[in-house]
Each structure stands twice: as structure tokens, then as C-alpha cells.
Amino acid sequence: MNNKIESHIKDLRKELEKHNYSYYIKDDAMISDYEFDVLLKKLSDLEGKYPQYFDENSPTQRVGGTVTKNFETVVHKNRMYSLDNSYSLDDLLDWEKRIKKIIEGPIEYTCELKYDGASINLTYEAGELIKAVTRGDGFQGDDVTINIKTIRSLPLKLRKPFLDSFEIRGEIILPLEGFHKMNEVRILVGEEVYANPRNTASGSLKLQDSTEVGKRPLDCLLYQVVVDKSKFTSHFDLLSEARDCGFKVPTAIFVAKNIDEVFDFVKEWDTKRIDLPFETDGVVIKVNSLRQQEELGYTAKAPRWAIAYKFKTEQQSTVLKEITYQVGRTGAITPVANLQAVQLGGTTVRRASLHNEDQIEKLDIRVGDTVFVEKGGEIIPKIVGVDLLQRPLNSVATIYAKRCPECKTELLRKEGDAKHYCPNEFGCPTQITGRIQHFISRKAMDIDGLGGETVDLLRKEGLIQSYADLYDLSVDQILPLERMAEKSAQNIVSGIKKSKAIPFEKVLFALGIRFVGETVAKKLAKYFKNIDSLMNASFEELVLVDEIGDKIAKSIVAYSNDYLNIELVNRLKVYGVQLELSAEILENQSDKLKGKIFVVSGVFHKMSRNELKKSIEDNAGKISSSISKKTTFIIAGDNMGPAKLEKANILGVSIISEDEFIAILKN
Ligand code: AMP
Ligand code: ZN
């Protein structure tokens, strides 16, 4: 009987790994996410019931859940070397010459992309992952096995027998799509964005909470199997074999007969790399024969049998003609380099961002200088350096703008801010137009018929100075504007009128308070219910609100204390703009669930998942996506995720049904 259960558990694990493989490596799902979850739950249930069959490499272990305070240092069995670099065909030919002094006969080279992430050394024994260690200083690294196991594309068990015991090396990367998604979320919650995928990937390896690692869309690309070289013949065969065993070995690998073919591969990928789903900074070229590798051996730092070719980021030099300054909607100033036109990466470049005063000082950039421009991952090119040899004799150091280019107000720079800003919020034309444009935008007051250009025109004509002025506009006033037809003028006025029905949370966003984005506006509207309570709130009260930090709170207090804002808001009130939650919304709201944290899991019958979540929030409850000791209730629908169930049981969190939740609400 027990044998039957054991084999059932093992079959389930195999099946789940098979699906993981088709989903994450073959990119070809065979079952739906839902079906996968059902299988996983089945397995998790069985594992819970029969703990004697626990397996640390079971698919149920991929969700994380462990917190590591200190990662153990592990000495590498085989040192992890660095790679020598090359930058040109000549460099590659030199490398070949060095090699040919040591070995005789023909040499084949494998060409692979250089994956830009954090290197990892994996140890497998009897077909299972035993250990994952970071490169560290090459001699010893950190044991991050727990975190690595959450990477879905990495096989915890091999799909077929390979060697009894071996090490395999790869790069933990964060594909671009996932990286951008992570940043979108950070922007939404007002956090600083991650600078680049590489640092984010390597930072992820050392997170203390493996559940957090599990949430990041990390991937592991393999590039070397470390084995006894006498038993195998080529690097290419080893990688192919590893791929068959379930490892993610990219297919962009080529065996070249000579350096010319190597260089063809380099040139091909130098252009094709823009379309890759991940970042690469070059190509790694390796002598394919393992016997020849053995003969070549290592220098103090790197293998003699391999070399990296670094792609050039295209750079051009041109003359800086003038530095101008731009004002944004919030008054932030950006210095712009106006350049003599130059061709760069297929486009003509005339302008580059100089970011801020510190950047200009750091590079000592001056008008008249010959500067180097580069196109990085960003769309706007940047200046990376100055050709000092070409500096004109009469050159003078750049003095950063003292006054706003638009309104001539003296610029300020707050401590801790990299940028200067124009404090003339209510008089600076760009800021006025910018704020009104934000006010009428689709996600804010969504005013039909009124576009950004018309706003600017209305301001120039002296018809509007603030968004409140919009509500005083009449068709007669708008009609005389250039190219304005009767119909469009009427549309504008009726669009403005219609916006009086826009709900409070959107109005709050429309006001354009610094750091108050859509999500924050929603939170504030729900909490304070009307504009007066919000504007009367102190800093201390504000930071009590969920997800409102010091920065946002400070900005709201500053906004509320400015009498010009108070006046604007009072005018909006008079016009009938929604500055409080509607009665209907208020009726369905309460504080009943205050202090309670819910996790919602599964499928429900009486309400949709979103309705359920909304009613939690409407009644002052909090929703969390993962179970922790702080969770008050888990509302479980059908097919609740097995991982959640298991965690709930371990932490002793109460699980309630949809009906029980409704009963709590009614009470
Ligand atoms: P570097 O850190 O510049 O000395 O470059 C060496 C590192 O490149 C290695 O430690 C690997 O982590 C990484 N790397 C990325 N892709 C490959 C690849 N295809 N083959 C070998 N090493 C690679
Ligand atoms: Zn200004």
C-alpha cells in the first residue's frame, strides 16, 4: 500500500517536472496553469500526509519559503576563472597565434553568447541538484542553493542519467521583459527603479527571503560542464548532452573551423543581439576539443583555451554647440547638449541628455568641446566623455543655469535631489501647461475634445492659468482661437462639464500632487474619503496609511499648506467637481476589517475574485499575495494553491470559506 503511494508521489513529481520543462525551457506548455496547479496541489497534499517521502528537490519546493540570514561560504572544488577579453579581429588572431605555439594540428572553436548576469556553480549528484554556489572571488563563494531552487527553468532532477557527479556552470540572468515588468511595478508604488538587469539578477541571489527570489522572473543559462576531460571529447558535445538532460543551454552556439568563421559569428550577433530577450555584452570563444583545452591550461587568472569578445557600444565624437535647459511638468530641470549632427546607430543625433549639474561637473563638459556620444540601452544618447586634446584654448568651464529658462525664476536644488527645479509652480508657463495637460489626461479627468496643444494655446491667450479656470471657459471664448470650429469648441465645453462626474480618486490623481500616482490616489481617497480630511491630515497621520512613506507624506503636506492650492481646490468644489467619495461607495465601506490581513486563493462562486478583493479593501482590510505569520485569514475558494495550503498549515493561519467571509462582513 505504502509502496503504491510512494510511487504515486514520484510519478506526480516526474509529471510536474516534465511540464516545468516544456513550459520554461521548450516554451511550449502542454497543460494550462490551472491544471498544473491542481497537480501541484495533489502532490503537496500527499507530501503533507506522508512526510516520510519528503524530497528537497520536489517541485513543491520551488516556491521558496526559507529565510537565510547568512549564506555559508563554500570553497570551490574547481576554481572559477575569469576570462581574457578581446575587442577586434586582430586580438582574436593574436590569441590564435598564442594557442598555436602550444598545440599542433587543427583547432575548432565554439562560439557562444556571453550572458550578462551572475555566474553560478551547480553541483549534481546521482541526477539531482545538491548545491549552488556563487562565483565569489573564484576560489570560494556563497551557498545560495535555497534561492536557486526557485528558478523554474533549472532542473532539480535531471531528465535522463548523465554523470554520477559533476559541476555545471551558468549565468543567472533576468530577461528584459521580466526586468521591465519589475520596474513598472516599482514606478507604480513610487520606488526607485532597478538600474540594470545584471545587478538586479546578482542582487536577487543574495536575498534573504527565498519566496521573494521565487517571485522574480530569473533564468539560468548554462555554458560549461566541469568533468574529467579524459572521458569526453568536445565542449560542444557536453553542452548538447546537458541540454538533453534538461538544462537551458541556449541554441546560439556555433562550431567554427577557424578565426574567420568566429568573426562571422561575432558580426552576426553584434546586430542580432538587439532582438534577444536578454542582455549580452559579447561572445565567448572556446577551444572545442577538451583534450586541447587540457593541454592549454590556465594562466593565473583565466583559461588559455577561452577568450571573450566584447561588443563595442557604438561611439562617435562630435562638437557640443550649446547647453540648453528643459523644464518638466513638476518643474524639474534637465540640461540638454545640443550637438553638431552625427550619425549613431543608424540615426542622426543632435541632442543628448546631460542629466544634471553633477554629471556636467564630473566630465567637465564645456561648450565647444569635442565629446563622445554613445547610445546605450536608452533611447536618448548620452555623452560619455570629453576629448581633452581637442579642447579650444579659450574654453571656459560650464556654469550651470541659475534661472529657469522659461520664467527666469531662480532655480533651487534640494538636499539629496540630483536635479534643480523651478519653484515658480503657478507662474512658470511650462509647468502651468504641463499641470493642466496632466489634469485633462485620460487616466485623470479624461476630458474629451481638449488636447495638449489647445491647452497651451488657451494659456497663451490668457484664458486659463490653472485647471480650475477650465470650468469657467465658454464656447465664445474658445471660438476665436486659431483653427477652432464651433463644434469643437462646444465639445470642449461639454467635455469639461462632464468631467464633474469623475470619481474622487481620479480627481485626486488629476490634481498632480508630486508622488501621488494613480495607485496612491486610490489609497488616499479610500482612507480619507474627502479632500478636506486629506488636506488637514498631518505628516504623522499620513504615514500611518498603508504604503504612504515619508516622501509622499511630505509632498502632500507641502501641497496642502500652499494657499494657492487651497484656493484652487475650493474653486473646484464650487464648480461641483467630485472631492469626496460618492454616497454609494461610502455605503459599502466600513472599518470592519481594519487591521486584518487577507490572502485570497482559489475560485469563488458568489463573487468574483476581484469583487472579493474590493470588498476587503472597501472595509479597511488589507490584501497580501503571500501567506506569512501576519496573515489573519486565508479565504479559500475551490482549488486553492497547494503551496499556499501547506504554508497556511505550517504557520497555523485560519482558512475560511467565501460564505464565512460574507458572514464576517455582515456582522
Ligand atoms: P568576466 O566576468 O568579464 O571576467 O567574464 C567571465 C564571466 O563571463 C564568467 O565568469 C561567466 O560568468 C560569464 N559568462 C557569460 N557567458 C559565458 C559563456 N557563454 N561562457 C563562459 N563564461 C560566460
Ligand atoms: Zn520656471
Side-chain angles (χ1 to χ4, degrees):
M1 149 79 178
N2 274 2
N3 263 342
K4 228 166 130 191
I5 288 163
E6 186 178 8
S7 66
H8 185 41
I9 289 181
K10 284 188 171 161
D11 287 346
L12 272 171
R13 286 177 183 153
K14 258 199 199 127
E15 189 171 357
L16 282 159
E17 277 307 344
K18 190 179 77 193
H19 290 305
N20 245 341
Y21 177 74
S22 18
Y23 189 86
Y24 289 101
I25 299 196
K26 290 275 169 229
D27 201 11
D28 179 19
M30 295 194 291
I31 56 171
S32 69
D33 289 1
Y34 174 73
E35 287 165 306
F36 184 89
D37 283 345
V38 170
L39 285 177
L40 194 64
K41 176 171 159 42
K42 216 190 242 171
L43 173 60
S44 167
D45 283 351
L46 283 170
E47 288 181 347
K49 219 159 142 195
Y50 303 97
Q52 64 267 43
Y53 303 125
F54 174 79
D55 180 345
E56 60 183 8
N57 283 333
S58 163
T60 51
Q61 301 301 302
R62 292 210 190 256
V63 285
T66 321
V67 172
T68 315
K69 283 266 175 284
N70 291 304
F71 295 96
E72 199 189 327
T73 307
V74 177
V75 176
H76 292 300
K77 211 163 120 204
N78 297 288
R79 183 174 157 193
M80 291 181 83
Y81 286 87
S82 181
L83 285 173
D84 285 333
N85 288 326
S86 63
Y87 302 91
S88 65
L89 178 58
D90 281 347
D91 287 352
L92 288 177
L93 290 169
D94 280 350
W95 175 60
E96 185 179 46
K97 241 186 245 156
R98 292 198 296 272
I99 291 177
K100 291 209 157 156
K101 274 190 197 150
I102 303 175
I103 42 178
E104 283 169 16
I107 304 172
E108 277 182 350
Y109 305 96
T110 54
C111 308
E112 295 158 54
L113 294 173
K114 189 165 190 292
Y115 321 117
D116 205 8
S119 31
I120 193 84
N121 188 50
L122 308 164
T123 306
Y124 282 78
E125 269 167 30
E128 295 200 25
L129 174 68
I130 298 297
K131 227 179 215 7
V133 181
T134 62
R135 173 164 120 169
D137 63 3
F139 295 98
Q140 53 181 41
D142 292 319
D143 183 339
V144 291
T145 316
I146 298 262
N147 284 346
I148 290 299
K149 280 186 180 175
T150 65
I151 300 174
R152 306 296 202 274
S153 63
L154 190 76
L156 301 181
K157 288 172 202 275
L158 301 185
R159 291 170 57 77
K160 61 174 226 190
F162 191 23
L163 300 148
D164 275 352
S165 159
F166 66 97
E167 287 177 16
I168 184 163
R169 288 175 180 172
E171 200 82 356
I172 307 293
I173 60 149
L174 193 50
L176 289 163
E177 193 189 335
F179 173 72
H180 292 314
K181 277 207 184 114
M182 280 172 71
N183 268 345
E184 275 166 27
V185 173
R186 286 181 80 86
I187 290 169
L188 267 180
V189 299
E191 281 179 87
E192 198 130 320
V193 295
Y194 293 114
N196 61 56
R198 190 202 330 119
N199 292 354
T200 317
S202 84
S204 302
L205 296 188
K206 301 284 278 292
L207 288 177
Q208 296 192 336
D209 183 355
S210 62
T211 317
E212 280 307 310
V213 186
K215 285 187 200 153
R216 299 191 173 185
L218 299 167
D219 213 341
C220 180
L221 307 180
L222 288 307
Y223 58 74
Q224 193 196 349
V225 188
V226 189
V227 287
D228 179 352
K229 295 197 164 132
S230 59
K231 290 201 183 110
F232 291 84
T233 48
S234 82
H235 171 64
F236 184 83
D237 290 348
L238 269 178
L239 283 188
S240 308
E241 187 70 22
R243 190 185 292 120
D244 290 345
C245 290
F247 290 103
K248 196 163 188 171
V249 178
T251 46
I253 304 182
F254 173 70
V255 183
K257 297 263 173 305
N258 51 52
I259 292 295
D260 279 342
E261 283 186 13
V262 167
F263 204 60
D264 286 342
F265 182 90
V266 167
K267 278 189 294 194
E268 179 189 341
W269 281 99
D270 195 5
T271 32
K272 283 208 315 210
R273 67 188 159 120
I274 336 169
D275 300 323
L276 283 170
F278 53 83
E279 286 197 321
T280 169
D281 55 345
V283 168
V284 182
I285 301 120
K286 298 168 188 165
V287 169
N288 191 28
S289 150
L290 297 179
R291 193 185 45 76
Q292 289 178 338
Q293 282 189 9
E294 185 107 308
E295 254 177 89
L296 286 163
Y298 298 81
T299 66
K301 202 186 122 243
R304 284 194 192 89
W305 45 264
I307 194 161
Y309 182 97
K310 289 276 177 105
F311 289 133
K312 264 200 250 352
T313 17
E314 196 193 345
Q315 210 178 67
Q316 288 293 345
S317 65
T318 185
V319 176
L320 171 61
K321 296 195 303 190
E322 191 192 1
I323 297 175
T324 52
Y325 298 84
Q326 270 179 358
V327 200
R329 156 169 82 84
T330 56
I333 305 289
T334 306
V336 178
N338 294 264
L339 308 163
Q340 205 154 64
V342 63
Q343 285 298 118
L344 188 65
T347 53
T348 309
V349 171
R350 291 194 176 81
R351 288 150 68 83
S353 169
L354 290 168
H355 304 289
N356 52 51
E357 183 178 26
D358 293 349
Q359 184 70 11
I360 294 176
E361 266 179 15
K362 200 172 93 194
L363 299 175
D364 186 18
I365 299 173
R366 307 175 180 193
V367 169
D369 270 346
T370 297
V371 293
F372 299 108
V373 269
E374 232 178 48
K375 227 173 188 173
E378 310 82 22
I379 301 157
I380 305 165
K382 58 179 178 193
I383 292 182
V384 292
V386 174
D387 187 351
L388 290 175
L389 293 176
Q390 302 212 44
R391 175 164 281 174
L393 286 174
N394 59 357
S395 151
V396 282
T398 299
I399 299 172
Y400 201 79
K402 294 267 180 292
R403 292 184 177 275
C404 173
E406 300 277 341
C407 70
K408 308 293 176 247
T409 304
E410 201 168 322
L411 297 180
L412 296 180
R413 182 175 172 186
K414 280 197 193 139
E415 213 183 294
D417 273 359
K419 292 201 171 227
H420 285 67
Y421 75 99
C422 164
N424 185 17
E425 241 180 282
F426 295 97
C428 188
T430 322
Q431 292 188 59
I432 295 173
T433 308
R435 258 201 320 271
I436 303 175
Q437 282 169 344
H438 169 73
F439 186 81
I440 64 169
S441 64
R442 204 172 46 75
K443 288 183 169 174
M445 302 304 278
D446 192 18
I447 297 182
D448 274 346
L450 191 55
E453 276 173 39
T454 316
V455 167
D456 203 33
L457 218 55
L458 287 166
R459 182 193 56 75
K460 281 190 184 134
E461 291 297 322
L463 290 169
I464 52 173
Q465 277 298 310
S466 69
Y467 37 68
D469 293 340
L470 290 172
Y471 295 91
D472 276 336
L473 281 177
S474 65
V475 174
D476 293 346
Q477 282 178 310
I478 306 175
L479 252 185
L481 290 188
E482 218 177 302
R483 277 178 309 187
M484 184 62 67
E486 172 91 28
K487 184 102 201 324
S488 333
Q490 267 163 7
N491 275 348
I492 292 177
V493 173
S494 72
I496 293 172
K497 200 167 154 201
K498 234 172 61 194
S499 76
K500 293 182 188 175
I502 293 286
F504 175 47
E505 55 191 46
K506 292 202 169 177
V507 178
L508 195 50
F509 171 59
L511 293 182
I513 305 171
R514 233 176 141 201
F515 305 126
V516 178
E518 264 184 290
T519 327
V520 171
K522 257 188 213 160
K523 288 249 149 70
L524 292 170
K526 188 161 283 160
Y527 190 91
F528 290 100
K529 304 196 168 55
N530 60 60
I531 194 78
D532 292 335
S533 336
L534 172 66
M535 287 179 79
N536 288 327
S538 65
F539 175 84
E540 288 73 22
E541 282 171 84
L542 283 162
V543 287
L544 283 182
V545 185
D546 211 26
E547 280 174 46
I548 306 296
D550 289 8
K551 200 166 74 173
I552 302 176
K554 257 189 211 152
S555 161
I556 295 170
V557 170
Y559 179 91
S560 311
N561 286 337
D562 190 324
Y563 76 95
L564 286 168
N565 287 325
I566 298 173
E567 197 186 296
L568 274 182
V569 167
N570 281 335
R571 279 178 65 199
L572 291 181
K573 249 189 233 165
V574 174
Y575 296 125
V577 171
Q578 302 299 310
L579 289 164
E580 56 183 31
L581 290 180
S582 70
E584 188 196 349
I585 293 179
L586 280 174
E587 217 163 81
N588 287 319
Q589 287 195 351
S590 77
D591 279 347
K592 266 181 210 159
L593 306 179
K594 197 166 181 167
K596 299 199 164 45
I597 301 176
F598 292 81
V599 170
V600 178
S601 180
V603 181
F604 301 92
H605 300 285
K606 300 206 168 123
M607 322 186 198
S608 76
R609 233 174 131 88
N610 281 339
E611 282 165 353
L612 193 65
K613 287 185 171 176
K614 190 166 178 303
S615 64
I616 294 172
E617 286 183 333
D618 284 348
N619 291 287
K622 227 181 117 176
I623 297 165
S624 165
S625 58
S626 61
I627 301 168
S628 73
K629 273 190 287 197
K630 291 194 199 134
T631 312
T632 325
F633 290 117
I634 297 163
I635 310 179
D638 295 349
N639 300 310
M640 166 175 169
K644 283 192 173 150
L645 189 68
E646 191 184 321
K647 205 156 169 202
N649 286 333
I650 292 169
L651 295 173
V653 178
S654 324
I655 302 178
I656 58 172
S657 68
E658 186 182 7
D659 288 331
E660 283 168 309
F661 171 71
I662 294 171
I664 292 176
L665 263 190
K666 284 209 177 119
N667 252 321

